[in-house]
Amino acid sequence: MKKESGLKMFFRTTYQTGSPIPYILSIQIILFVLLHIADLLVDLGVISFPLYDWMLTNLTLPNTFSEFILRPWTLITYPFVYDGLFRIVFDCLWLYWMGTTFLNFLNKRQLLTVFFVSFFLSGLSFLALSQVEFLAKGPYSSLFSNSMGLASLVASIMVLVPNLEIRLFLFGTVRFRTIAIVFFSLEILFYLFANRAAAATFPIAILWGAIFMYQLQAGNDLSKWFVFQRKKKLRVVHPVKKVPTYRSYKGDLPNQEVIDEILDKISQNGYESLSSREKEILFRISREEQE
């Protein structure tokens, strides 16, 4: 038996599990590497064009509608952009952990709905809140990273299984609700210093994750909004009237198909529409049941 190569095994165990998480993580990591390769090329003087700054400008979500209109694709690209190593490592680990926990209870369509819808809601909310002068202040003027999606995932899990217990190194067994509250607090605190508009947007992402889960528990799966079914072409079918075939019997009843056809005929046209043979069958059935 031919031994499987390490690279082939890696791709099989990583990308053929049916989970969308490895694909999301791969996009984030590849984009992070490309950004810093561009930065390195500029620092080494290989290129004079500020490629790193150009990529950040065109991939992160701006804080004004006038700039957003010129770069509308940033509403889709901003969650995958990272400029710091610590930040991307932290978020990748959290996404893997939270995504895996979510998929232990629900399916990948629901995960993608919670995760990606939060980006659209948070992005549009960030654009609106950035117009408030007080919130527009901060060292970062644009929005990037998948923190909003993580917030929605954590909130949805907290609503679904608030008393879920997780064993943490050095801390022992901790309830998931406690972990979620600590995560939300740290993220909001970070954004308060870095990007006030993002800090004001963060609770909206939390609210979306909670609403999705409350609706799901009430029997309303919001992820079904994104299930598209092909319209089937109408086909004209000309019904062929089937003539009942009666089985000869002596002492035994006719088959159930014949009985059903007779009863259908009575419901549509009345008892008088039956033939003498059909009336005889009904009479025989009633006598057999009485006996």
Side-chain angles (χ1 to χ4, degrees):
M1 184 177 179
K2 190 176 179 181
K3 189 176 180 181
E4 189 176 27
S5 65
L7 186 62
K8 188 176 180 181
M9 182 182 295
F10 169 77
F11 280 104
R12 179 175 59 80
T13 56
T14 303
Y15 296 103
Q16 296 182 9
T17 59
S19 170
I21 299 170
Y23 296 95
I24 298 171
L25 295 176
S26 297
I27 295 172
Q28 292 178 177
I29 295 169
I30 291 171
L31 192 54
F32 176 80
V33 171
L34 291 176
L35 276 168
H36 285 78
I37 288 175
D39 191 30
L40 181 63
L41 292 176
V42 174
D43 289 343
L44 294 176
V46 177
I47 58 175
S48 57
F49 180 75
L51 183 60
Y52 176 80
D53 295 332
W54 179 86
M55 290 177 70
L56 278 181
T57 301
N58 284 276
L59 293 175
T60 57
L61 185 66
N63 63 350
T64 62
F65 282 102
S66 58
E67 293 181 42
F68 172 69
I69 291 172
L70 298 175
R71 300 190 296 274
W73 59 84
T74 55
L75 191 62
I76 300 174
T77 58
Y78 85 84
F80 304 102
V81 181
Y82 284 86
D83 64 347
L85 180 61
F86 174 79
R87 184 69 176 175
I88 190 173
V89 170
F90 178 82
D91 281 6
C92 283
L93 291 174
W94 265 86
L95 177 57
Y96 179 80
W97 182 23
M98 293 299 104
T100 303
T101 304
F102 188 98
L103 291 175
N104 286 335
F105 299 99
L106 301 172
N107 59 47
K108 64 180 180 180
R109 186 190 70 237
Q110 292 163 333
L111 182 145
L112 292 173
T113 301
V114 172
F115 195 62
F116 284 104
V117 169
S118 70
F119 295 139
F120 286 94
L121 294 176
S122 301
L124 295 175
S125 300
F126 172 78
L127 284 168
L129 292 169
S130 294
Q131 308 315 304
V132 180
E133 185 177 353
F134 172 75
L135 296 177
K137 296 178 180 179
Y140 291 97
S141 59
S142 58
L143 182 64
F144 55 92
S145 85
N146 67 12
S147 297
M148 302 300 167
L150 280 173
S152 295
L153 278 180
V154 174
S156 64
I157 297 171
M158 184 178 68
V159 172
L160 180 64
V161 281
N163 296 321
L164 175 68
E165 293 184 343
I166 297 176
R167 189 168 184 81
L168 298 178
F169 180 66
L170 297 179
F171 295 97
T173 302
V174 182
R175 285 189 176 183
F176 187 85
R177 180 187 297 168
T178 305
I179 296 173
I181 292 172
V182 172
F183 170 75
F184 295 149
S185 302
L186 291 175
E187 287 290 326
I188 292 175
L189 184 64
F190 166 77
Y191 277 125
L192 281 174
F193 290 100
N195 192 330
R196 292 179 184 176
T201 302
F202 200 77
I204 296 175
I206 297 173
L207 184 62
W208 158 244
I211 289 174
F212 178 89
M213 196 54 64
Y214 280 125
Q215 287 293 308
L216 186 63
Q217 290 176 337
N220 184 20
D221 187 355
L222 299 181
S223 69
K224 290 184 178 179
W225 290 352
F226 304 99
V227 177
F228 302 101
Q229 295 181 350
R230 292 182 179 179
K231 292 184 178 180
K232 296 182 179 180
K233 294 182 179 180
L234 294 175
R235 186 175 61 178
V236 179
V237 178
H238 299 284
V240 178
K241 190 174 181 180
K242 187 177 179 181
V243 179
T245 54
Y246 304 112
R247 189 181 65 180
S248 59
Y249 60 89
K250 289 184 180 179
D252 61 328
L253 296 177
N255 57 51
Q256 186 62 43
E257 183 181 355
V258 173
I259 298 171
D260 291 339
E261 289 174 355
I262 295 174
L263 293 176
D264 288 340
K265 191 173 181 180
I266 294 173
S267 63
Q268 293 176 7
N269 303 312
Y271 180 80
E272 296 302 324
S273 63
L274 298 181
S275 65
S276 57
R277 177 62 172 166
E278 291 167 340
K279 290 178 182 179
E280 180 189 348
I281 291 174
L282 284 181
F283 177 73
R284 184 63 180 273
I285 293 171
S286 63
R287 286 190 60 185
E288 290 286 345
E289 289 180 349
Q290 289 173 2
E291 293 175 2

